[in-house]
Amino acid sequence: MAAPQDVHVRICNQEIVKFDLEVKALIQDIRDCSGPLSALSELNTKVKEKFQQLRHRIQELEQSAKEQDKESEKQALLQEVENHQKQMLSNQTSWRKANLTCKIAIDNLEKAELLQGGELLRQRKTTKESLAQTSSTITESLMGISRMMSQQVQQSEEAMQTLVNSSRTILDANEEFKSMSGTIQLGRKLITKYNRRELTDKLLIFLALALFLATVLYILKKRLFPFL
């Protein structure tokens, strides 16, 4: 498990790398800045804040190096501190050069605007009109896409409603089939019961007929052959 001091050193190094990259990005933004001076001033304010944070983290790393027990680790960290300090000085030099380049570019642009005067204003107006027309076209396209999406959603809702209705119809038909199945089952039971009843009735009729014939034969026997 890493010691708290090692964790702090690792965090300091990560923060230093992060701030260094952010400073470099801001310096590049200054190089690309075409004005006005308020925009340049805002970028410089951000750079100052990042340099302050970077300097604070380097100082923390230096303090951690001085607190190391092993001399080898202490020297290694101090070497890292020195490298970070050199990198920060290099960034400060690049920052000053970027500011000088940007200010010269802004001055040249302002002079060109003064010389061109109305022509530049007309060009800007044309550009704004072109941008407004492009924006209007894009807005119309987006509205068209929105309408198409709305239609698709409506069609999906209708399809979903159709599926729901179809599902309901199938469920109703299934219930009817169940009801018909119950009726058929009951009819089958009644037919089976009727067939059994019919068989019983035939048997009783047969027995009654046999009894009747036996009675007739008995009477005939007594009348015709009384001596038997």
Side-chain angles (χ1 to χ4, degrees):
M1 182 176 179
Q5 193 173 13
D6 295 336
V7 174
H8 181 68
V9 168
R10 186 165 60 252
I11 292 174
C12 281
N13 276 317
Q14 291 174 352
E15 291 290 323
I16 289 170
V17 172
K18 173 187 172 185
F19 293 139
D20 179 70
L21 292 175
E22 290 176 349
V23 166
K24 285 182 168 61
L26 287 169
I27 292 173
Q28 186 60 45
D29 290 341
I30 291 174
R31 291 194 185 100
D32 298 335
C33 180
S34 58
L37 288 174
S38 58
L40 177 60
S41 177
E42 183 178 351
L43 287 172
N44 282 322
T45 300
K46 292 181 180 179
V47 173
K48 290 176 183 178
E49 292 176 355
K50 294 302 177 182
F51 268 127
Q52 185 176 0
Q53 293 172 337
L54 178 60
R55 190 178 295 105
H56 177 69
R57 281 301 185 184
I58 292 175
Q59 290 174 352
E60 286 187 359
L61 184 62
E62 184 178 11
Q63 182 63 32
S64 296
K66 293 177 180 179
E67 294 174 356
Q68 293 295 319
D69 296 331
K70 295 182 179 179
E71 185 64 24
S72 58
E73 294 180 355
K74 178 180 179 180
Q75 292 302 323
L77 286 178
L78 288 175
Q79 183 62 43
E80 288 184 15
V81 169
E82 184 178 356
N83 293 336
H84 290 315
Q85 288 174 340
K86 289 179 180 179
Q87 185 62 47
M88 185 174 66
L89 291 174
S90 175
N91 287 337
Q92 288 174 338
T93 302
S94 299
W95 177 33
R96 286 192 292 270
K97 291 180 179 179
N99 264 283
L100 181 60
T101 302
C102 181
K103 287 179 180 179
I104 293 173
I106 292 174
D107 289 340
N108 291 334
L109 182 60
E110 289 177 350
K111 292 177 182 178
E113 288 178 350
L114 290 174
L115 292 174
Q116 294 177 359
E119 180 64 25
L120 184 58
L121 292 175
R122 283 194 295 272
Q123 289 178 359
R124 287 183 176 180
K125 183 178 179 181
T126 303
T127 302
K128 288 181 179 179
E129 291 176 351
S130 177
L131 289 173
Q133 184 177 359
T134 303
S135 176
S136 177
T137 303
I138 294 173
T139 301
E140 291 178 359
S141 299
L142 290 174
M143 290 178 65
I145 293 172
S146 177
R147 286 193 293 270
M148 290 176 61
M149 291 179 66
S150 178
Q151 292 175 358
Q152 291 293 332
V153 171
Q154 185 176 359
Q155 291 176 1
S156 299
E157 290 178 352
E158 291 176 354
M160 182 63 69
Q161 187 62 37
T162 302
L163 289 174
V164 171
N165 293 336
S166 300
S167 177
R168 188 178 295 112
T169 302
I170 292 172
L171 289 174
D172 293 341
N174 187 32
E175 292 297 328
E176 291 181 1
F177 287 150
K178 288 181 180 179
S179 178
M180 290 176 62
S181 175
T183 304
I184 293 171
Q185 190 71 22
L186 179 59
R188 183 181 299 171
K189 291 181 179 179
L190 291 174
I191 292 172
T192 303
K193 184 177 181 180
Y194 175 77
N195 289 334
R196 291 177 180 175
R197 182 64 179 273
E198 185 180 6
L199 180 61
T200 302
D201 292 343
K202 287 180 179 180
L203 182 60
L204 291 175
I205 292 171
F206 176 75
L207 291 175
L209 182 61
L211 180 60
F212 174 75
L213 291 174
T215 303
V216 171
L217 289 175
Y218 179 76
I219 293 172
L220 289 175
K221 178 183 176 183
K222 291 294 184 182
R223 295 282 183 90
L224 297 176
F225 307 102
F227 52 84
L228 291 177

